Amino acid sequence: MTARAADRARYDRAAAHLDAPLAIVDLDAFDANADDLVRRAAGKPVRVASKSLRCRALLERVLAKEGFAGVMSFTLAESLWLARSGFDDVLLAYPSADRAGFAELTSDPKLAAAVTVMIDDPAQLRLIDAAREGGREVVRVCLELDTSLKLLGGRVRVGARRSPLHSPAQMADVARAVARRPGFRVVGIMGYEGHVAGVGDAIAGRPLRSRAVRLMQTTARRELAERRAEAVRAVRAVVPDLEFVNGGGTGSVQHTAAEDAVTEIAAGSGLYVPRLFDNYTSFSGRPAALFALPVVRRPGVGVVTVLGGGYPASGAAGADRLPVPYLPEGLRYDPQEGPGEVQTPLLGSPADDLLLGDKVWFRHAKAGELCERFDTLHLVAGDAVTATVPTYRGEGRTFL
């Protein structure tokens, strides 16, 4: 029996009493992945990206482990909710225009002490001030460095279009703008190198593209390490008591941790290990989050139909954004239909061994987005469900 077949047997036994559709997290795999992130971070704390988990119980589980500290959130409303729930170190990774949220933040000492907001433009300070409604609490601010690689004098850009602050001088200018404005304090710097951390460099069947990605990432890491160090020095000249410099992502943990200027690493997807993280030479994880769909039709030889399945992930549309049939091994989509909103036909010889009501296990493309489809996660240890916990959706929290 292969390792995947053994996993299927475990999951089927664990979920035998549950009707699909359902989602699980394999705690053995989850904990092993957490240990691997800590190992790769080489002594620097790992801040957990909440958008990759979207489950408070699992955030609490991983933060209880040595080597993890703090949450990286994705909306201000989520940040405030987490802070009210007892998370005392929440870094909002994206700028916000949530005026009601800023009014709440600036009026509550506990929230203001727990939440750090992201800016990359002094205009964002004015927006926050306009939203205060009398709130006088000092707002903790993090500056975001644009990590993109610019070539040919800036005519070619590799990396996400995030912050406009690319140079150390630009970072220092905004730090001075914050320092001059009462009610704000710069406490950190963040830079997310998505073109390194979020792009696989070992693409199946694409050796030339894989080689090109590795070359790009080597160049990008070298350029960013030098520029990030300069940016940190420039900001520290304005803010000597800077608390943290955050960088990285699941795919670049060990490389970013090697930078002296970086004090903490961000990661989250590496805990669930969705399918987008299968194509890396720098690490390999164990798939921990899966969902099961029930067989509801047998249209013919070598074909079964499961209920649901059309769960595309965000990003540029493409086959890599789709879930994949995972267990039993050997199933594939019908190229004329793909995964459907209400039903999904699956082809392959394993279909002939599946009965009505049997479960087919899938892996989603991007980590936490799975939790937008399910209101509970069944936590599996060995071959048993040991707990069932709500996702953000299950707690009535759909932040985006």
Side-chain angles (χ1 to χ4, degrees):
M1 180 183 290
T2 66
R4 279 175 60 174
D7 282 341
R8 181 195 175 199
R10 286 198 301 118
Y11 301 151
D12 281 346
R13 286 195 296 272
H17 63 295
L18 300 171
D19 287 333
L22 61 88
I24 67 166
V25 170
D26 182 337
L27 292 179
D28 298 330
F30 182 90
D31 290 341
N33 293 335
D35 292 342
D36 187 61
L37 287 172
V38 171
R39 177 189 63 80
R40 289 198 286 138
K44 293 187 177 178
V46 178
R47 184 180 291 274
V48 184
S50 64
K51 79 181 184 70
S52 299
L53 296 188
R54 303 191 202 197
C55 172
R56 278 200 299 168
L58 290 174
L59 282 171
E60 291 166 352
R61 182 184 183 91
V62 72
L63 286 171
K65 294 178 178 294
E66 186 174 353
F68 290 88
V71 175
M72 177 176 283
S73 58
F74 59 97
T75 73
L76 181 56
E78 179 212 14
S79 305
L80 300 177
W81 177 63
L82 290 174
R84 287 193 298 269
S85 302
F87 295 86
D88 60 4
D89 180 5
V90 183
L91 169 61
L92 174 57
Y94 307 88
S96 177
D98 181 353
R99 291 176 172 82
F102 284 128
E104 186 176 356
L105 175 71
T106 57
S107 300
D108 188 314
K110 178 185 175 182
L111 297 179
V115 175
T116 301
V117 304
M118 190 67 60
I119 74 157
D120 54 34
D121 186 327
Q124 292 154 351
L125 304 176
R126 295 192 290 274
L127 185 151
I128 296 171
D129 268 341
R132 281 182 181 268
E133 295 184 358
R136 296 177 178 273
E137 297 300 323
V138 172
V139 176
R140 293 168 54 85
V141 168
C142 180
L143 309 181
E144 181 168 2
L145 173 68
D146 171 35
T147 65
S148 65
L149 175 64
K150 294 185 178 181
L151 304 170
L152 301 177
R155 293 191 295 275
V156 175
R157 174 193 180 102
V158 181
R161 296 183 181 276
R162 291 176 62 113
S163 171
L165 306 179
H166 189 79
S167 72
Q170 289 173 314
M171 292 284 287
D173 285 346
V174 176
R176 281 189 285 270
V178 177
R180 287 194 299 265
R181 197 173 189 97
F184 297 90
R185 181 164 66 94
V186 174
V187 298
I189 294 173
M190 188 198 87
Y192 171 58
E193 53 267 37
H195 50 303
V196 178
V199 178
D201 62 349
I203 308 162
R206 305 284 297 276
L208 294 180
R209 180 173 175 80
S210 297
R211 193 173 300 120
V213 169
R214 287 194 290 273
L215 177 61
M216 175 276 291
Q217 291 180 339
T218 299
T219 303
R221 285 197 301 266
R222 186 180 302 118
E223 184 276 337
L224 177 59
E226 182 177 329
R227 181 162 52 87
R228 179 153 42 199
E230 292 175 359
V232 171
R233 285 193 293 270
V235 173
R236 285 193 186 278
V238 180
V239 188
D241 57 345
L242 201 65
E243 294 178 14
F244 65 85
V245 177
N246 181 282
T250 287
S252 68
V253 170
Q254 65 270 39
H255 301 297
T256 307
E259 295 183 34
D260 291 338
V262 173
T263 66
E264 63 175 40
I265 309 299
S269 295
L271 295 164
Y272 284 171
V273 187
R275 63 166 296 201
L276 281 179
F277 287 89
D278 287 348
N279 302 319
Y280 285 77
T281 58
S282 60
F283 80 104
S284 60
R286 293 173 55 184
L290 300 95
F291 66 94
L293 301 177
V295 174
V296 292
R297 284 178 172 165
R298 293 171 51 86
V301 175
V303 186
V304 292
T305 301
V306 295
L307 182 69
Y311 306 157
S314 60
D320 65 339
R321 301 290 149 166
L322 300 178
V324 289
Y326 184 59
L327 302 170
E329 298 179 66
L331 293 173
R332 65 187 186 279
Y333 292 127
D334 182 333
Q336 297 185 54
E337 295 194 46
E341 177 189 10
V342 176
Q343 67 169 32
T344 298
L346 298 171
L347 312 180
S349 58
D352 294 330
D353 297 322
L354 291 169
L355 304 176
L356 295 180
D358 283 352
K359 296 177 177 69
V360 175
W361 297 90
F362 290 75
R363 293 176 64 201
H364 197 252
K366 292 186 72 175
E369 294 184 21
L370 171 66
C371 294
E372 298 300 324
R373 301 288 180 171
F374 294 91
D375 56 11
T376 58
L377 296 172
H378 302 284
L379 307 185
V380 174
D383 61 357
V385 171
T386 59
T388 297
V389 297
T391 62
Y392 279 11
R393 170 178 165 168
E395 295 198 68
R397 306 288 176 168
T398 51
F399 294 107
L400 283 176

